[in-house]
């Protein structure tokens, strides 16, 4: 009963539109020239996937490219509902669009100075808050968690977070080893990543009913097939893993741009 209540509470929270960044326009009684985000980055972190320092830095640098006026960033973590882990939005904020230059001539100088100071402060606040949330989420990962509900989590997140977003462009950076281990299916055999049969796994997904709709978002994956220091992933097994996820995202109204196995070699755009 407690777990059921927690799931309901979490989904109810996800459904509420939020912006963790206070509005300068509201504070100053001004009209926002463009309240809709031009682009929003969704950083989705699998709590069973621990990144090394280089991949953490990569994730941070790409997040910072979206901390700019008119852009939004949402950071969410997911796992199976066990060991105190569940889907959670750690941060969701948009930096407001700047006034057009010609509009500034119609504003009193004193008010314009307040506006400029507020917008500068808004950027610093967003950078600090987003950075703190990202570090907390990445460092909270634990590879010893018993289950990895990636498919169900992506279904929930796409429905309740990504699709409702009003952003004109949507981009997803998915931080995960992409190795499902749940009641839907498991990608493991004798504790190792098995050679995945895409057709069979997609049939299991269809049977579960946990389909996703990413609303045309561009998808980047970092960490796929990541192994420990003493582990090894055979190339054909890794290819089978990426083939499954390519097919999955094709079925899920998404534009898969790149899968890092584990590191991405391009910027998130």
């Amino acid at each position: 009963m407690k777990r059921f209540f927690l799931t309901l509470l979490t989904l109810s929270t996800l459904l509420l539109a939020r912006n963790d960044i206070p509005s300068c326009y509201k504070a100053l009684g001004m009209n926002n020239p463009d309240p809709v985000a031009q682009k929003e980055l969704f950083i989705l972190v699998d709590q069973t996937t621990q990144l090394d320092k280089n991949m953490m830095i990569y994730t941070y640098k790409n997040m910072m490219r979206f901390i700019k006026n008119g852009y939004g960033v949402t950071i969410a973590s997911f796992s199976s509902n066990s060991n105190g882990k569940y889907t959670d939005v750690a941060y969701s904020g948009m930096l407001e669009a700047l006034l057009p230059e010609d509009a500034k001539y119609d504003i009193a100088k004193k008010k314009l100075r307040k506006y400029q100071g507020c917008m500068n402060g808004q950027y610093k606040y967003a950078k600090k808050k987003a950075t703190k949330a990202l570090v907390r989420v990445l460092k909270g990962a634990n590879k010893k968690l018993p289950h990895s509900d990636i498919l169900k989590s992506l279904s929930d997140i796409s429905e309740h977070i990504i699709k409702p977003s009003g952003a004109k462009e949507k981009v997803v950076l998915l931080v995960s080893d992409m190795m499902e281990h749940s009641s839907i299916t498991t990608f493991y055999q004798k504790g190792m990543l098995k050679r995945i049969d895409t057709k069979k796994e997609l049939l299991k997904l269809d049977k579960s009913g946990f389909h996703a709709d990413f609303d045309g978002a561009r998808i980047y994956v970092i960490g796929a097939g990541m192994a420990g220091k003493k582990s090894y992933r055979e190339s054909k097994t890794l290819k089978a893993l990426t083939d499954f996820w390519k097919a999955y995202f094709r079925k899920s109204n998404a534009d898969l741009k790149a899968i890092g196995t584990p590191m991405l070699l391009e910027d998130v755009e």
Side-chain angles (χ1 to χ4, degrees):
M1 179 61 73
K2 183 178 180 182
R3 183 178 297 178
F4 176 70
F5 174 75
L6 182 63
T7 302
L8 287 179
L9 181 63
T10 302
L11 291 178
S12 297
T13 302
L14 296 180
L15 286 168
L16 296 174
R18 72 185 248 193
N19 188 355
D20 295 343
I21 310 303
S23 170
C24 288
Y25 289 102
K26 285 184 180 180
L28 296 170
M30 300 168 63
N31 291 324
N32 188 334
D34 192 358
V36 178
Q38 293 295 315
K39 191 182 291 188
E40 184 168 2
L41 173 66
F42 302 87
I43 302 177
L44 311 180
V45 181
D46 180 350
Q47 290 287 274
T48 68
T49 304
Q50 291 178 301
L51 299 185
D52 63 24
K53 184 178 179 180
N54 286 336
M55 285 190 279
M56 284 188 178
I57 292 172
Y58 172 92
T59 304
Y60 169 75
K61 285 184 175 179
N62 277 275
M63 178 190 75
M64 287 306 302
R65 297 175 70 238
F66 285 77
I67 303 291
K68 59 191 292 186
N69 295 102
Y71 280 35
V73 171
T74 292
I75 302 169
S77 60
F78 65 89
S79 181
S80 57
N81 286 336
S82 63
N83 296 74
K85 300 288 186 178
Y86 46 86
T87 301
D88 178 59
V89 178
Y91 170 85
S92 186
M94 173 189 167
L95 279 176
E96 293 173 313
L98 294 172
L99 281 173
E101 285 300 317
D102 57 356
K104 294 179 181 179
Y105 296 110
D106 299 326
I107 302 172
K109 290 183 178 180
K110 184 177 179 181
K111 192 170 188 177
L112 186 59
R113 283 196 298 270
K114 287 183 178 180
Y115 163 78
Q116 291 169 335
C118 184
M119 294 299 278
N120 288 335
Q122 190 182 74
Y123 170 80
K124 293 176 183 177
Y125 181 82
K127 178 181 177 181
K128 182 178 179 180
K129 197 169 180 66
T131 298
K132 186 176 180 180
L134 182 65
V135 170
R136 177 169 61 83
V137 167
L138 291 178
K139 289 191 173 181
N142 183 354
K143 64 182 179 181
K144 293 183 179 180
L145 290 172
H147 301 288
S148 185
D149 268 313
I150 302 171
L151 293 169
K152 181 182 182 302
S153 296
L154 292 181
S155 175
D156 290 342
I157 290 170
S158 67
E159 178 182 355
H160 298 296
I161 301 177
I162 298 173
K163 198 169 182 182
S165 166
K168 297 173 184 177
E169 292 184 53
K170 302 176 185 182
V171 184
V172 174
L173 175 56
L174 179 53
V175 180
S176 175
D177 61 13
M178 307 305 285
M179 289 154 58
E180 179 81 7
H181 182 53
S182 69
S183 58
I184 299 173
T185 188
T186 181
F187 291 173
Y188 291 89
Q189 188 173 54
K190 296 181 180 180
M192 301 289 288
L193 175 63
K194 68 180 182 182
R195 189 80 61 84
I196 296 166
D197 185 319
T198 295
K199 289 184 179 180
K200 287 183 179 180
E201 297 303 334
L202 289 177
L203 285 174
K204 292 178 186 177
L205 175 62
D206 288 340
K207 188 176 180 180
S208 75
F210 289 117
H211 297 107
D213 182 351
F214 288 90
D215 197 33
R218 297 192 292 278
I219 310 289
Y220 297 82
V221 179
I222 184 171
M226 188 152 59
K229 292 181 179 179
K230 296 182 181 180
S231 301
Y232 169 72
R233 303 283 186 222
E234 193 261 337
S235 59
K236 291 183 179 179
T237 303
L238 269 182
K239 184 179 184 302
L241 176 69
T242 58
D243 284 347
F244 167 80
W245 287 109
K246 287 176 183 177
Y248 168 84
F249 285 116
R250 278 197 300 270
K251 285 172 60 77
S252 304
N253 190 17
D255 179 11
L256 179 63
K257 290 297 185 182
I259 300 181
T261 54
M263 188 62 171
L264 272 169
L265 302 178
E266 57 192 86
D267 287 333
V268 175
E269 299 178 344

